[in-house]
Structure formats: structure tokens, C-alpha cells
Amino acid sequence: MLGLTSDMRFRLYVPPCDMRKGINGLEALVANDMQEQPTSGAVYVFLNRKGDRIKLLRWEPGGYVMYCKMLETGRFRIPNRQATEHRKVAINYAQLAMLIEGLDFEKTKQNRRYLPPKPVDNFRGKTR
């Protein structure tokens, strides 16, 4: 079962992907084009050229899990493929959720969140 949580790592494959590829083909893209270990536990995200199909690939103990979605109408908001020279982009859980729901995560702004202060080393009076 493909259960996605916010503590997972997500990698978006930037070039358009041939959606005829199955698990073995996507695994080869991860290993060869993205230069990553497919069994690392990260979730790899692939989009086609038209933007109406998305595939997610993840290694779980015992084998690969692949999630596929094809839209009847509309398109996924494809990130600007010309803006990056890289073949992969790290995204977070919120960005993946926005991508799947059709929102443009490149135009959204993250609100500031509370970050606890760094602990102070009383002996030296410096932050760790």
C-alpha cells in the first residue's frame, strides 16, 4: 500500500516521462537519469508531456509500489521544466499534494512557522 507521509523524501523527475513505462522502466530512470538508488525509500514522481498523467514509484520492504493517476479533463500544474538544468527536483509533501490536486506550488508562498530557539550551551554562552 502506498501510504504517503510528510516525513518521506520526494523527488520530481523534471523531463517529461513516457507513461508506457512500468516499474522496471521507472526504476531505470531513477538509477540512470536521476543518479539515485531506487531502493532508498524516497518517492519518485513522474509526469508526462501533456500533464494529464502522473506516476509515483516507491520501494517498500518486499517490492515496489506504483501509484498512477490519469485525469479525464484538465492538467497537473507542471513545474517550469526550462527553469532548471537538473533532472530531478526535491519537493516536500505539501508540494506533492498541491501538484496532485492541480495547484501551482511554484506560485504559492509558505507562511512563516514557529521554530524553537536553538539550545544555549550555558558553559560557553554559545548556541550549539
Side-chain angles (χ1 to χ4, degrees):
M1 182 173 147
L2 185 65
L4 301 176
T5 60
S6 60
D7 60 337
M8 292 179 170
R9 293 176 295 119
F10 301 93
R11 302 286 186 264
L12 175 65
Y13 183 69
V14 176
C17 181
D18 182 358
M19 287 293 138
R20 294 175 293 181
K21 291 183 184 296
I23 290 174
N24 294 333
L26 296 177
E27 177 189 21
L29 282 179
V30 171
N32 298 329
D33 285 8
M34 297 175 79
Q35 300 294 314
E36 292 206 11
Q37 184 66 29
T39 56
S40 68
V43 178
Y44 299 98
V45 182
F46 304 91
L47 292 164
N48 67 339
R49 186 175 308 278
K50 285 176 35 179
D52 63 346
R53 297 174 191 217
I54 190 170
K55 286 188 178 183
L56 280 65
L57 180 70
R58 178 170 183 257
W59 169 263
E60 290 185 352
Y64 284 103
V65 177
M66 185 170 62
Y67 168 82
C68 307
K69 184 172 184 178
M70 181 181 79
L71 299 176
E72 291 295 323
T73 60
R75 303 280 183 259
F76 294 107
R77 301 295 268 157
I78 300 172
N80 188 355
R81 290 177 168 153
Q82 286 77 31
T84 181
E85 300 169 1
H86 306 289
R87 300 192 68 75
K88 63 183 174 185
V89 175
I91 60 174
N92 61 34
Y93 178 76
Q95 290 171 324
L96 177 65
M98 287 189 281
L99 178 68
I100 291 174
E101 290 301 320
L103 301 172
D104 188 353
F105 67 82
E106 291 184 323
K107 293 184 180 178
T108 58
K109 183 181 136 190
Q110 174 78 33
N111 291 329
R112 284 187 4 185
R113 298 283 186 224
Y114 172 76
L115 295 174
K118 293 181 179 179
V120 176
D121 185 358
N122 289 333
F123 182 70
R124 295 193 176 106
K126 296 180 181 179
T127 58
R128 290 188 226 178

